[in-house]
Amino acid sequence: MSGRIADLKAVMLSLLLFALFLGAWHLAVTGSGTAANVDPEYARLMGAAAMQGTSAMPGPVDIAVRLADLLAHPFYDRGPNDKGIGIQLAYSLGRVLLGFGLAVTLAIPLGFVIGTSPLLHKALDPFIQILKPISPLAWMPLALYTIRDSGKSAIFVIFICSVWPLLLNTAFGVASVRREWLNVARTLEVSRLRLAFRVILPAAAPTIMTGLRISIGIAWLVIVAAEMLVGGTGIGYFVWNQWNNLSIADVIIAILLIGLVGMALDQILGWIGRRLGYQE
Amino acid sequence: MDRPHISIQGLQKQFPGTDRPTFDEVWFNVMPGEFVCLIGHSGCGKTTLLNMLAGLERPTGGAIIVGGQEVTGPSLDRAVIFQSHALLPWMTVMGNIAFAVRSKWPNWKSAQVASHCQKYIDLVNLTGAEAKRPVHLSGGMKQRVGIARALAIQPGIMLMDEPFSALDALTRGSLQDELVSISTASRQTTFMITHDIDEAMLLADRIVLMTSGPDARVAEIVENGLPRGRTRAELHHYPGYYHLRNHLLDFLVRRPAGRPADPRHPPSTRIGAEH
């Protein structure tokens, strides 16, 4: 019971903080009085905002109105520069899932092999350590030059950035399977394939799932930057396009949606991880 | 005279980086259907010796012959009950036992595997806990699963590495009683490591005493003269009980480290029979 009361308190506090944030935001963007000393030329450029002393920054109410507007028709398509927010998110998700899927298909088998072979682990470790900290943006020119396709380049960049944590976690999980579990399998003369699928992978599953969560988080971080560069479609492109249109409301909404989708991806993998995990 | 089921011949283990072997020139036999306990201080390589019998570790000298053949690796014919029970925590009780059963008989159908497992689950009194995972079992129940898993593959030899040492006295007692009835019924060749004298006196036909390491040897082999069909409740009423118990206890207290004159034929005495 006390746990539920504590949860309730936390929710109340979250709501209060959110309300405070919205209130402060609203007050900050609502101008007071008139701006006296404005250069007439600047005033002409800035329009009403400068004359009334209000900020060009949209307030929470503007955002809510615009969000309702965007969400009312999320999937419309009126040409290359005017697509619904749902379509843009779907493009980004598609790229992330492709790049992430590629990373999973490579990293889990390779991580398994590295985890079972101390020699390979030592031999490959320097490469992994050098490749791991490279920024996604640094890969982009090379990807564009070699792949010659901006869409595929974006997927490659997702892949190359999300593969390392998964590779390292899989190798670590496989290498640290408890000796007694392996001994049980050995005394039962279990075949290599059964050993891999019934003992090693289930034992390493929690570590691998942690790697998957880190990887998809990175992939979702990278996609926005990648799409800003390659352009065309996707939520990253949407942010950049709306910045060029100076529609700050759309930029803020995109930021909000990027956060929500990222959280959803993490929660889904977290849920799968709890299903595959085990307690000792 | 039968040929020994297990013959340990001049076994030695020296770990890398040490100048003296942990144990050396260890010789003894286990006859078919016999229950042999090994008692020794920690550090004399008891667990290493059992792992060698299981085929999980290789000796640095000597050999182990089982059924006329040298042990070179693990075998389904030698089941191990581990000290730490070593259940796979992502599998249920039934799953853990079925994993072993399917390893032994890969062509069995699911129904056949399930009914075979059920028989051994019932045997160790775990009926009703089939779908539980190890985390929801008590220490004693976990070790029962370990015992059922080992018995279910119907091995020629059972190897036990201090199977009850992590359990409280009451649970240990009831599991020992069950083990007595199971092993009396199956007459399986069993080799068990223990540091519990009463456990050895209750279960073993012969008790192998090892000196302290390094350079541990078999100091003496004691034949358990207490009458068969022993129970824990009556054990200490047998006339030879204290004689045998004091003999074993003296050995452990004296901590002999010397080498017997002939390691191949350590002194063998029968203690505990009525005088």
Side-chain angles (χ1 to χ4, degrees), chain B residues 127-206:
Chain B
T127 317
E130 293 84 355
K132 285 192 177 156
R133 283 176 206 279
V135 67
H136 299 300
L137 302 178
S138 67
M141 288 167 90
K142 283 180 197 162
Q143 200 49 283
R144 282 166 204 263
V145 182
I147 294 169
R149 178 173 63 185
L151 289 170
I153 59 172
Q154 299 178 339
I157 295 171
M158 291 277 274
L159 305 170
M160 306 187 204
D161 184 6
E162 301 193 34
F164 308 134
S165 62
L167 305 177
D168 63 274
L170 281 172
T171 314
R172 180 164 52 215
S174 62
L175 270 175
Q176 283 165 350
D177 279 344
E178 283 172 40
L179 197 60
V180 170
S181 64
I182 289 169
S183 78
T184 313
S186 69
R187 295 308 301 149
Q188 225 157 7
T189 306
T190 308
F191 179 74
M192 174 161 145
I193 288 172
T194 181
H195 55 232
D196 179 342
I197 291 176
D198 284 302
E199 186 169 271
M201 289 164 65
L202 177 68
L203 296 167
D205 300 317
R206 282 191 303 148

Side-chain angles (χ1 to χ4, degrees), chain B residues 173 177 202 230-238:
Chain B
D177 279 344
L202 177 68
R230 302 179 278 271
T231 62
R232 209 160 40 89
E234 292 167 18
L235 190 66
H236 57 285
H237 294 303
Y238 291 120

Side-chain angles (χ1 to χ4, degrees), chain A residues 180-181 186 189 194 198-199 202, chain B residues 74-76 84 87 90 103:
Chain A
E180 57 180 42
W181 297 337
R186 285 177 64 199
E189 297 186 70
R194 261 184 103 219
R198 296 299 308 277
V199 180
Chain B
S75 157
L76 277 161
S84 56
L87 301 181
W90 54 90
S103 304

Side-chain angles (χ1 to χ4, degrees), chain B residues 3-273:
Chain B
R3 281 177 50 193
H5 199 165
I6 305 171
S7 179
I8 290 171
Q9 304 181 350
L11 210 61
Q12 185 213 55
K13 179 70 182 188
Q14 181 159 8
F15 287 98
T18 53
D19 54 349
R20 285 161 78 195
T22 305
F23 56 79
D24 195 5
E25 285 289 313
V26 171
W27 296 76
F28 66 92
N29 292 334
V30 181
M31 303 310 286
E34 196 179 26
F35 198 126
V36 170
C37 273
L38 181 96
I39 294 185
H41 284 283
S42 38
C44 73
K46 298 185 301 263
T47 296
T48 307
L49 199 147
L50 186 122
N51 282 345
M52 286 177 183
L53 267 166
L56 295 169
E57 276 183 62
R58 302 284 298 137
T60 46
I64 299 172
I65 313 292
V66 169
Q69 284 198 314
E70 187 177 349
V71 170
T72 53
S75 157
L76 277 161
D77 196 47
R78 280 171 272 128
V80 185
I81 297 176
F82 295 90
Q83 184 174 12
S84 56
H85 60 74
L87 301 181
L88 305 178
W90 54 90
M91 293 183 189
T92 60
V93 168
M94 179 64 98
N96 266 287
I97 300 170
F99 182 67
V101 170
R102 280 185 204 280
S103 304
K104 175 99 179 196
W105 297 285
N107 297 325
W108 277 15
K109 294 197 166 42
S110 298
Q112 198 174 4
V113 171
S115 74
H116 185 83
C117 293
Q118 191 64 52
K119 201 167 85 190
Y120 287 92
I121 291 171
D122 297 343
L123 181 71
V124 297
N125 294 318
L126 277 178
T127 317
E130 293 84 355
K132 285 192 177 156
R133 283 176 206 279
V135 67
H136 299 300
L137 302 178
S138 67
M141 288 167 90
K142 283 180 197 162
Q143 200 49 283
R144 282 166 204 263
V145 182
I147 294 169
R149 178 173 63 185
L151 289 170
I153 59 172
Q154 299 178 339
I157 295 171
M158 291 277 274
L159 305 170
M160 306 187 204
D161 184 6
E162 301 193 34
F164 308 134
S165 62
L167 305 177
D168 63 274
L170 281 172
T171 314
R172 180 164 52 215
S174 62
L175 270 175
Q176 283 165 350
D177 279 344
E178 283 172 40
L179 197 60
V180 170
S181 64
I182 289 169
S183 78
T184 313
S186 69
R187 295 308 301 149
Q188 225 157 7
T189 306
T190 308
F191 179 74
M192 174 161 145
I193 288 172
T194 181
H195 55 232
D196 179 342
I197 291 176
D198 284 302
E199 186 169 271
M201 289 164 65
L202 177 68
L203 296 167
D205 300 317
R206 282 191 303 148
I207 301 162
V208 175
L209 301 173
M210 268 180 88
T211 61
S212 302
D215 266 327
R217 303 274 198 289
V218 174
E220 184 184 346
I221 295 176
V222 177
E223 219 175 303
N224 190 343
L226 301 179
R228 285 288 178 86
R230 302 179 278 271
T231 62
R232 209 160 40 89
E234 292 167 18
L235 190 66
H236 57 285
H237 294 303
Y238 291 120
Y241 171 81
Y242 286 103
H243 186 196
L244 176 58
R245 192 171 200 283
N246 291 341
H247 185 88
L248 298 174
L249 200 58
D250 282 343
F251 172 81
L252 285 180
V253 172
R254 269 189 290 119
R255 283 178 160 271
R259 307 173 188 191
D262 179 5
R264 277 182 186 238
H265 304 100
S268 176
T269 40
R270 180 179 169 86
I271 304 177

Side-chain angles (χ1 to χ4, degrees), chain A:
Chain A
M1 270 318 276
S2 63
R4 281 186 58 190
I5 290 170
D7 284 352
L8 200 66
K9 279 184 181 166
V11 169
M12 299 295 285
L13 189 58
S14 292
L15 289 174
L16 181 71
L17 287 172
F18 187 56
L20 279 175
F21 166 71
L22 289 181
W25 181 11
H26 183 73
L27 284 178
V29 297
T30 314
S32 54
T34 53
N37 307 317
V38 181
D39 181 37
E41 204 161 344
Y42 176 72
R44 212 171 335 115
L45 276 170
M46 292 303 289
M51 295 309 288
Q52 290 157 12
T54 51
S55 169
M57 185 78 180
V61 181
D62 308 315
I63 298 293
V65 171
R66 181 68 183 138
L67 184 62
D69 193 28
L70 283 174
L71 291 183
H73 307 283
F75 297 111
Y76 74 87
D77 187 352
R78 288 185 218 118
N81 278 333
D82 194 5
K83 294 187 204 303
I85 192 93
I87 291 191
Q88 306 286 27
L89 276 174
Y91 271 112
S92 298
L93 271 175
R95 288 193 186 111
V96 162
L97 292 181
L98 268 173
F100 177 71
L102 278 175
V104 171
T105 35
L106 181 86
I108 291 185
L110 187 61
F112 188 94
V113 174
I114 293 175
T116 47
S117 157
L119 173 71
L120 260 180
H121 190 217
K122 279 195 181 135
L124 291 177
D125 196 53
F127 299 106
I128 296 172
Q129 296 305 335
I130 290 170
L131 290 169
K132 194 171 60 141
I134 296 173
S135 156
L137 301 178
W139 285 108
M140 193 51 100
L142 196 63
L144 286 170
Y145 178 71
T146 46
I147 301 175
R148 292 157 190 263
D149 179 300
S150 61
K152 283 179 192 156
S153 297
I155 292 166
F156 168 78
V157 170
I158 301 284
F159 160 78
I160 201 78
C161 291
S162 58
V163 78
W164 310 115
L166 187 52
L167 189 66
L168 289 175
N169 265 51
T170 307
F172 177 74
V174 167
S176 39
V177 173
R178 293 251 289 271
R179 174 139 293 277
E180 57 180 42
W181 297 337
L182 297 175
N183 277 347
V184 167
R186 285 177 64 199
T187 57
L188 293 173
E189 297 186 70
V190 170
S191 70
R192 293 178 78 90
L193 208 64
R194 261 184 103 219
L195 180 70
F197 284 99
R198 296 299 308 277
V199 180
I200 296 177
L201 283 177
T207 323
I208 296 175
M209 285 311 299
T210 307
L212 285 171
R213 276 176 90 168
I214 300 171
S215 277
I216 201 137
I218 289 179
W220 191 242
L221 280 180
V222 166
I223 190 67
V224 175
E227 284 171 346
M228 280 182 176
L229 280 178
V230 300
T233 48
I235 194 73
Y237 170 72
F238 179 81
V239 171
W240 201 247
N241 203 27
Q242 298 313 82
W243 160 239
N244 286 334
N245 293 338
L246 264 184
S247 30
I248 304 298
D250 284 352
V251 171
I252 293 173
I253 286 169
I255 288 173
L256 178 71
L257 289 175
I258 290 168
L260 287 173
V261 172
M263 185 181 78
L265 290 174
D266 187 63
Q267 293 293 315
I268 291 168
L269 282 176
W271 180 79
I272 298 173
R274 281 192 294 279
R275 296 296 302 261
L276 289 177
Y278 53 85
Q279 287 175 284
E280 281 188 65

